Amino acid sequence: MSSSKQQQQFRCTQIPSKVLHFRNLPWECSDEELADLCSPFGKVMSTKCNVGVNQNQAFVQFAELNQAISMVSYYASSSEPAQVRGKTVYIQYSNRHHIVNSNSPGDIPGNVLLVTIEGVEAGDVSIDVIHLVFSAFGFVHKLATFEKTAGFQALIQYTDAETAASAKDSLDGRSIPRYLLPEHVGACNLRISYSAHRDLNIKFQSNRSR
């Protein structure tokens, strides 16, 4: 049996937990890098990096069990492995149910926000509407939208962390005004955290990024 098949079989026979165990991480992998890998699958409650003799292991605790299951299932069936700094990372369920002495990377202020728009699909909310909502708090330098397991998401880059914090404090948990949405869309709440990114790489203008 190949090592990849052994790895997948091992993950599938483990008891699921909200806490995931990561191996083969780059040395001194940061909490922000780890959270950036995990946040598309759900809310990251806490992280603990640089674990083990070689400091190349880590733990991540999701808010909900199904979010952890979603991440493990995604990479178990994906042809593209999980990667940090171009290095393949191995993910499995932890035998612990919470992390002690952890960090919460999504709460570390930065100038880029990760926005999950709940209750919509791609195309329901245009990039112009997102820009309109977030530019009310300051100049939006860059904006990118994408779809992940967690749903329809956007990255919003401001000039500084203070402007991003103002937008986050005002909009997190709120809904986009009804008059800006198509008729078939109900309430769509915004779930906002800080991203580990500092400067988004936007290669071209489109209806998904600018």
Side-chain angles (χ1 to χ4, degrees), residues 83-168:
Q83 292 189 329
V84 175
R85 295 188 218 163
K87 190 172 184 180
T88 296
V89 178
Y90 301 104
I91 307 168
Q92 63 190 51
Y93 297 114
S94 171
N95 57 9
R96 63 180 72 186
H97 298 288
H98 64 275
I99 301 176
V100 180
N101 300 325
S102 60
N103 296 312
S104 300
D107 294 328
I108 299 173
N111 66 313
V112 179
L113 298 178
L114 173 64
V115 182
T116 300
I117 307 174
E118 299 177 329
V120 303
E121 297 180 359
D124 287 341
V125 181
S126 70
I127 194 170
D128 293 315
V129 167
I130 297 171
H131 182 268
L132 179 65
V133 171
F134 282 87
S135 62
F137 300 89
F139 182 71
V140 174
H141 283 267
K142 298 176 183 178
L143 193 165
T145 62
F146 49 92
E147 292 175 87
K148 292 286 187 179
T149 305
F152 184 54
Q153 297 181 305
L155 287 167
I156 315 287
Q157 180 177 329
Y158 287 107
T159 303
D160 49 50
E162 290 75 17
T163 306
S166 176
K168 180 179 183 298

Side-chain angles (χ1 to χ4, degrees), residues 61-74:
Q61 180 177 334
F62 281 96
E64 303 290 342
L65 177 62
N66 65 334
Q67 295 167 349
I69 292 174
S70 178
M71 184 171 193
V72 171
S73 299
Y74 177 82

Side-chain angles (χ1 to χ4, degrees), residues 45-64:
M45 299 300 293
S46 56
T47 62
K48 189 171 185 177
C49 285
N50 309 133
V51 176
V53 177
N54 297 320
Q55 296 187 344
N56 64 347
Q57 300 180 48
F59 295 96
V60 171
Q61 180 177 334
F62 281 96
E64 303 290 342

Side-chain angles (χ1 to χ4, degrees), residues 71-82:
M71 184 171 193
V72 171
S73 299
Y74 177 82
Y75 284 112
S77 60
S78 175
S79 59
E80 296 293 329

